[in-house]
Amino acid sequence: MEKRLRIQDIEKYYGNKSNMTKAINHISFDVNDGEYVSIMGASGSGKSTLLNCISTIDRVTSGHIFLNNVDITKLKGKRLNQLRREEIGFIFQDFNLLDTLTAFENIALALTIQKVNYKDIDRRVHDIASALGIDQVLQKYPYELSGGQKQRVACARAMVTKPSLILADEPTGALDSRSARMLLECLEVLNEQLNATILMVTHDAFTASYSQRVIFIKDGQIFNEIKKGDKTRKQFFNEIMDIQTLLGGELNEDI
Ligand SMILES: Nc1ncnc2c1ncn2[C@@H]1O[C@H](COP(=O)(O)OP(=O)(O)O)[C@@H](O)[C@H]1O
Ligand SMILES: [Mg+2]
C-alpha cells in the first residue's frame, strides 16, 4: 500500500545544552493512504510536539518527514505555505469558525484564497456538506448553529481542499461525551466515505477506539502499537485500556 506519510527517525529538542528537553527521541512510523491513526500518550509524552512537527508549525531537530514522498522538513517560504494551505487539513479543539462568515463561507474560505472559481467552490462545498448532513445550514452563521453542526462545519472546512492529511490534536478534549461521539462519527465519514487520511492525537481510549491503529508514545519514544483489524470497537477499546494500564494508568492524569 502507498505510504501517505513517512516519519523517519525524528528528534525534537527544546532548550539548550544545560537545560534540554528531548520532546521527541527517535520516532519513526508510516501512515498509509486512507488510514486513520491515533497517537496516544501521557501528558508531556510528546504528542503535540509530534503533531506540530508534522503540521510544520514546529521544526524537527533531526530526521525527516515525508508527505507524498516530499520531505516537508526541507520546505521554506512559498512552498511551505502552499503545503499548509493545500495538503494539510486541521481540526482544532475549539473549531475556530469565523463568526462573521456563514457556514458556507467558512468552509469555502481556503478555496477562495486559492482562487478556485465560484462554480467549483459551490460544487465542492455542497458535495462535502451533503456527505456530512449540513447542507440545510450553509447560510447560517456560527452563532445560529448547534455544537454538533459547528463540528461538522469544521470537519467540512478541513476536508474541502482535499488535503493529503487531516491532523487533529485532542479533538474531543473539550467536549461532553455526546458531542465527542458526534465528532468521532464525523471523522469516520471523512475517513470511510471521503477517503481522508487522518492522524489524531488523544489521551482518551474511547476516542482512539474509532481509529484503525493506535501508536502509544512514552517519553518521546514509541512504546507500542496496536491495530483494530477485525475487532469490534468495544474489543479495541478494551485492548487500548489494557495498554494504558501497562503504561501505568498515567495517561488519564490530566482529564
Ligand atoms: N515550546 C516548548 N519549549 C520547551 N519545552 C517544550 C515546549 N513544548 C513542549 N515542551 C516539552 O516537551 C515535552 C513534550 O510536550 P508535548 O508535546 O506538549 O506533550 P503532550 O502533547 O504529549 O502533552 C514536555 O516535557 C514539554 O514540557
Ligand atoms: Mg498536547
Side-chain angles (χ1 to χ4, degrees):
M1 196 173 304
E2 199 181 321
K3 302 291 182 219
R4 176 54 54 98
L5 179 71
R6 277 188 292 143
I7 312 283
Q8 213 172 64
D9 198 24
I10 60 168
E11 294 180 287
K12 176 66 187 181
Y13 298 169
Y14 287 113
N16 50 38
K17 276 210 176 97
S18 60
N19 179 21
M20 193 163 70
T21 307
K22 283 190 181 183
I24 300 178
N25 189 6
H26 298 287
I27 283 187
S28 300
F29 66 93
D30 295 338
V31 176
N32 289 326
D33 201 359
E35 206 181 7
Y36 182 179
V37 178
S38 295
I39 306 284
M40 289 191 85
S43 175
S45 59
K47 304 181 297 294
S48 293
T49 304
L50 178 61
L51 212 72
N52 291 344
C53 288
I54 297 168
S55 68
T56 72
I57 290 169
D58 212 339
R59 280 206 180 265
V60 296
T61 305
S62 70
H64 301 278
I65 299 171
F66 297 93
L67 183 63
N68 296 327
N69 295 320
V70 173
D71 187 351
I72 62 174
T73 64
K74 298 274 187 274
L75 297 181
K76 292 195 180 81
K78 216 171 137 186
R79 291 204 59 203
L80 187 61
N81 286 332
Q82 191 180 9
L83 172 101
R84 288 179 182 160
R85 221 171 36 226
E86 297 176 13
E87 298 297 327
I88 299 174
F90 296 94
I91 293 172
F92 300 95
Q93 202 174 77
D94 52 5
F95 309 127
N96 264 338
L97 298 179
L98 298 175
D99 293 335
T100 55
L101 301 183
T102 64
F104 182 98
E105 290 163 344
N106 265 285
I107 298 168
L109 189 60
L111 299 177
T112 314
I113 293 169
Q114 283 179 37
K115 300 198 168 57
V116 175
N117 74 56
Y118 185 78
K119 222 176 114 206
D120 285 345
I121 292 180
D122 196 57
R123 184 180 47 76
R124 279 162 75 171
V125 172
H126 279 100
D127 281 354
I128 190 153
S130 76
L132 294 174
I134 46 170
D135 22 13
Q136 301 306 313
V137 300
L138 287 175
Q139 295 317 317
K140 292 192 174 179
Y141 287 89
Y143 76 90
E144 300 173 293
L145 301 174
S146 69
Q149 289 168 337
K150 276 189 232 176
Q151 291 176 6
R152 279 176 274 165
V153 172
C155 287
R157 180 188 54 187
M159 193 64 200
V160 79
T161 58
K162 300 197 177 80
S164 298
L165 185 64
I166 298 259
L167 297 175
D169 193 352
E170 303 279 5
T172 59
L175 303 177
D176 60 60
S177 61
R178 185 170 160 272
S179 308
R181 200 180 281 263
M182 286 195 295
L183 177 68
L184 292 165
E185 283 164 8
C186 191
L187 292 175
E188 208 164 53
V189 172
L190 297 187
N191 175 247
E192 290 177 2
Q193 293 178 33
L194 304 169
N195 200 33
T197 307
I198 303 175
L199 186 63
M200 166 173 88
V201 158
T202 181
H203 59 240
D204 177 52
F206 178 76
T207 300
S209 72
Y210 275 77
S211 61
Q212 295 154 355
R213 177 157 61 108
V214 182
I215 297 171
F216 294 87
I217 63 173
K218 183 177 183 171
D219 303 328
Q221 295 180 302
I222 292 183
F223 173 80
N224 199 347
E225 173 181 305
I226 55 172
K227 285 187 178 159
K228 179 159 180 276
D230 295 330
K231 280 166 268 190
T232 64
R233 191 157 53 70
K234 180 84 176 106
Q235 287 168 329
F236 194 41
F237 171 79
N238 287 332
E239 199 177 344
I240 295 165
M241 290 294 279
D242 287 345
I243 296 184
Q244 277 192 319
T245 310
L246 232 140
L247 270 163
E250 62 201 325
L251 280 165
N252 292 322
E253 70 191 6
D254 55 355
I255 285 182

mmCIF file of all heavy atoms in Angstrom, residues 42-44 46-49 169-170 201 254, ligand 2:
data_model
loop_
_atom_site.group_PDB
_atom_site.id
_atom_site.type_symbol
_atom_site.label_atom_id
_atom_site.label_comp_id
_atom_site.label_asym_id
_atom_site.label_seq_id
_atom_site.Cartn_x
_atom_site.Cartn_y
_atom_site.Cartn_z
ATOM 1 N N ALA A 42 0.793 9.851 27.681
ATOM 2 C CA ALA A 42 0.515 10.686 28.843
ATOM 3 C C ALA A 42 0.774 12.150 28.508
ATOM 4 O O ALA A 42 1.439 12.460 27.518
ATOM 5 C CB ALA A 42 1.403 10.262 30.004
ATOM 6 N N SER A 43 0.285 13.015 29.360
ATOM 7 C CA SER A 43 0.589 14.428 29.239
ATOM 8 C C SER A 43 2.107 14.605 29.313
ATOM 9 O O SER A 43 2.761 14.033 30.180
ATOM 10 C CB SER A 43 -0.109 15.143 30.393
ATOM 11 O OG SER A 43 0.243 16.484 30.384
ATOM 12 N N GLY A 44 2.666 15.355 28.378
ATOM 13 C CA GLY A 44 4.109 15.589 28.366
ATOM 14 C C GLY A 44 4.907 14.533 27.619
ATOM 15 O O GLY A 44 6.129 14.613 27.530
ATOM 16 N N GLY A 46 4.965 14.006 24.439
ATOM 17 C CA GLY A 46 5.473 14.498 23.150
ATOM 18 C C GLY A 46 4.468 14.467 22.012
ATOM 19 O O GLY A 46 4.819 14.708 20.857
ATOM 20 N N LYS A 47 3.189 14.230 22.333
ATOM 21 C CA LYS A 47 2.166 14.089 21.292
ATOM 22 C C LYS A 47 2.000 15.369 20.468
ATOM 23 O O LYS A 47 2.015 15.334 19.238
ATOM 24 C CB LYS A 47 0.799 13.721 21.913
ATOM 25 C CG LYS A 47 0.803 12.479 22.757
ATOM 26 C CD LYS A 47 -0.586 12.169 23.311
ATOM 27 C CE LYS A 47 -1.160 13.225 24.260
ATOM 28 N NZ LYS A 47 -0.437 13.362 25.535
ATOM 29 N N SER A 48 1.814 16.479 21.177
ATOM 30 C CA SER A 48 1.586 17.739 20.446
ATOM 31 C C SER A 48 2.827 18.142 19.660
ATOM 32 O O SER A 48 2.720 18.635 18.531
ATOM 33 C CB SER A 48 1.202 18.865 21.405
ATOM 34 O OG SER A 48 -0.053 18.604 21.969
ATOM 35 N N THR A 49 3.985 17.922 20.255
ATOM 36 C CA THR A 49 5.229 18.237 19.547
ATOM 37 C C THR A 49 5.302 17.449 18.245
ATOM 38 O O THR A 49 5.632 17.993 17.183
ATOM 39 C CB THR A 49 6.447 17.901 20.431
ATOM 40 O OG1 THR A 49 6.323 18.601 21.664
ATOM 41 C CG2 THR A 49 7.747 18.287 19.761
ATOM 42 N N ASP A 169 -5.533 17.569 17.034
ATOM 43 C CA ASP A 169 -4.898 17.440 18.346
ATOM 44 C C ASP A 169 -5.984 17.495 19.415
ATOM 45 O O ASP A 169 -6.617 18.529 19.611
ATOM 46 C CB ASP A 169 -3.878 18.574 18.553
ATOM 47 C CG ASP A 169 -2.975 18.307 19.763
ATOM 48 O OD1 ASP A 169 -3.229 17.338 20.510
ATOM 49 O OD2 ASP A 169 -2.016 19.081 19.966
ATOM 50 N N GLU A 170 -6.212 16.377 20.094
ATOM 51 C CA GLU A 170 -7.225 16.266 21.143
ATOM 52 C C GLU A 170 -8.573 16.836 20.689
ATOM 53 O O GLU A 170 -9.146 17.697 21.371
ATOM 54 C CB GLU A 170 -6.776 17.020 22.412
ATOM 55 C CG GLU A 170 -5.453 16.566 22.988
ATOM 56 C CD GLU A 170 -5.564 15.305 23.847
ATOM 57 O OE1 GLU A 170 -6.668 14.704 23.921
ATOM 58 O OE2 GLU A 170 -4.538 14.912 24.413
ATOM 59 N N VAL A 201 -4.283 13.051 17.673
ATOM 60 C CA VAL A 201 -3.674 12.889 18.990
ATOM 61 C C VAL A 201 -4.776 12.880 20.034
ATOM 62 O O VAL A 201 -5.684 13.703 19.980
ATOM 63 C CB VAL A 201 -2.697 14.056 19.266
ATOM 64 C CG1 VAL A 201 -2.458 14.235 20.750
ATOM 65 C CG2 VAL A 201 -1.385 13.857 18.545
ATOM 66 N N ASP A 254 -4.485 13.971 33.305
ATOM 67 C CA ASP A 254 -4.891 15.360 33.116
ATOM 68 C C ASP A 254 -6.316 15.496 32.570
ATOM 69 O O ASP A 254 -6.685 16.528 32.048
ATOM 70 C CB ASP A 254 -3.886 16.101 32.232
ATOM 71 C CG ASP A 254 -3.665 15.409 30.910
ATOM 72 O OD1 ASP A 254 -4.212 14.312 30.714
ATOM 73 O OD2 ASP A 254 -2.948 15.973 30.072
HETATM 74 MG MG MG B 2 -0.614 18.054 23.904
#
